[in-house]
Amino acid sequence: MLWMADILVVDHQSCQTGGAVPEAAKGNDKATTSAARKKRTLQDIRDSKTSGEKMVYMSVPDYTSARWAEMAGVDVAVLGDSLAMIAHGHSSTIPATMDMMALHAQAVRRGAPNTFMLGCMPYQSYNTVERALTNATRFMQEGACDAVKPQGGKSQAAILKAMVDAGIPTASHIGMTPHTVAMFGGFKIQGKTADAAMKILEDAFAIQDAGCFMLEFEAVPAKIAAVISKQLQIPTIGIGAGVGTDGQILLCYDLLGVFTDFKPKFTKRYSNLTEVALKGISQYIAEVKAGTFPDDDHSYGVDEKEYDKFVTMVERRKHQ
């Protein structure tokens, strides 16, 4: 497979440049420079609270998106259980399993070896201390994650503390928590009333008191998230929680327009790769139907003498 990859790379470059690799391409080879990239640390994340650095998190489900994350310079690659939806076609994150997450974690780590990686614990994988420790350990050992993130605040405080006390770097997720979406009656904004906002504040303090290094707000009014974030000593990130958090997270396949089943209000499309993909696939179909692909530039040649010899051998065989 490596041999084939080398052939394809050399062939592509020679087709484009006559065998020479342009200096500009050499200078822009982020895949090479990413090997020298310094991975962000837990302390970097903690320090962002006081340094003012806005940390960039991106949820990546597979090897290729993880490569993009590392090449672009994302601070934290998040292995989100949203992959049950975007990679497996489920309608929610509930069907994500530990086996599914562990498999994808390995792919993401191979794609982003020098990027801090946060594994999101799937539904019911942390509903007891024993299960939480067992499954968090799988993320760290099998998936080579740098930290894990279950969901919940006060109700999960004892479990969060047990994970931290066991030496597992742990974050948590409050506001609209996908694992309890059925109890919310669907994907709904949380913290819209003063009482509801106070509950989120208490959840945030519970997460901090448990020793977690970071928390995520989802679908919380921007002003509410900003006020709560200022009360805390640990950094916060937001998805649909405004600019007042200490960092931001979006799903790679959302922001690039790869996943198009629906678009949350909080997602900004920075590209539309589905349109690009459909255009390319349509052109491929058209060229195959017309018999114009593959052309000589995309086919392998053979020495003419050997070809003539082969044709002669074929003719002889036909008459044996």
Side-chain angles (χ1 to χ4, degrees):
M1 181 62 72
L2 179 60
W3 176 75
M4 285 299 295
D6 289 342
I7 286 178
L8 291 173
V9 170
V10 171
D11 187 60
H12 170 72
Q13 290 173 341
S14 62
C15 285
Q16 298 296 321
T17 65
V21 180
E23 288 302 316
K26 293 179 182 177
N28 291 329
D29 188 3
K30 291 186 179 180
T32 300
T33 58
S34 69
R37 182 186 183 213
K38 185 178 179 181
K39 183 196 288 189
R40 304 309 295 262
T41 66
L42 206 62
Q43 194 58 50
D44 289 335
I45 295 173
R46 290 192 178 105
D47 289 346
S48 69
K49 186 68 178 182
T50 53
S51 71
E53 179 185 6
K54 291 282 191 178
M55 300 291 278
V56 179
Y57 294 62
M58 187 169 73
S59 182
V60 291
D62 53 30
Y63 173 85
T64 298
S65 58
R67 289 283 289 156
W68 294 341
E70 182 151 302
M71 292 167 70
V74 166
D75 294 308
V76 178
V78 179
L79 179 75
D81 56 354
S82 53
L83 63 83
M85 302 171 71
I86 61 178
H88 292 267
H90 294 293
S91 60
S92 74
T93 65
I94 301 300
T97 65
M98 273 305 304
D99 286 344
M100 185 189 294
M101 297 300 292
L103 181 66
H104 282 265
Q106 292 165 4
V108 169
R109 176 48 79 206
R110 287 191 287 268
N114 301 301
T115 302
F116 190 99
M117 182 174 160
L118 176 64
C120 296
M121 300 186 70
Y123 181 67
Q124 296 299 328
S125 66
Y126 52 91
N127 57 359
T128 67
V129 168
E130 182 179 2
R131 289 197 75 187
L133 294 178
T134 297
N135 289 321
T137 299
R138 287 191 66 185
F139 270 107
M140 303 295 284
Q141 290 184 328
E142 295 179 39
C145 289
D146 297 292
V148 299
K149 180 173 70 66
Q151 297 181 11
K154 287 180 69 174
S155 65
Q156 298 296 119
I159 291 174
L160 296 173
K161 186 176 187 304
M163 293 169 66
V164 173
D165 288 347
I168 301 170
T170 305
S172 197
H173 180 139
I174 53 176
M176 203 292 292
T177 46
H179 293 174
T180 55
V181 68
M183 299 179 69
F184 297 146
F187 292 91
K188 296 182 178 180
I189 300 170
Q190 301 299 304
K192 294 176 69 174
T193 67
D195 287 342
M198 281 301 297
K199 182 182 183 304
I200 296 174
L201 174 65
E202 296 301 331
D203 281 337
F205 276 120
I207 291 168
Q208 177 174 275
D209 293 344
C212 293
F213 68 91
M214 181 274 289
L215 70 82
E216 175 184 343
F217 295 110
E218 180 170 353
V220 173
K223 289 183 178 180
I224 301 299
V227 169
I228 296 174
S229 187
K230 288 178 181 177
Q231 312 305 307
L232 301 172
Q233 295 178 331
I234 60 173
T236 63
I237 63 172
I239 182 166
V243 76
T245 55
D246 302 303
Q248 296 293 326
I249 177 172
L250 282 178
L251 278 65
C252 177
Y253 281 9
D254 276 351
L255 72 91
L256 293 180
V258 177
F259 181 78
T260 57
D261 288 11
F262 61 88
K263 178 184 173 295
K265 174 181 171 62
F266 53 70
T267 291
K268 179 176 180 179
R269 288 268 163 80
Y270 289 85
S271 186
N272 197 330
L273 296 192
T274 292
E275 282 188 6
V276 175
L278 291 177
K279 181 178 179 181
I281 294 169
S282 296
Q283 185 175 352
Y284 165 60
I285 292 171
E287 291 186 5
V288 171
K289 295 291 187 182
T292 58
F293 176 84
D295 55 16
D296 289 345
D297 287 342
H298 297 92
S299 301
Y300 296 105
V302 64
D303 181 85
E304 285 299 320
K305 290 183 179 179
E306 291 299 322
Y307 173 72
D308 290 341
K309 181 179 178 181
F310 170 66
V311 170
T312 300
M313 293 170 68
V314 170
E315 290 298 320
R316 287 176 181 170
R317 185 180 184 280
K318 287 166 60 177
H319 295 94
Q320 287 180 352

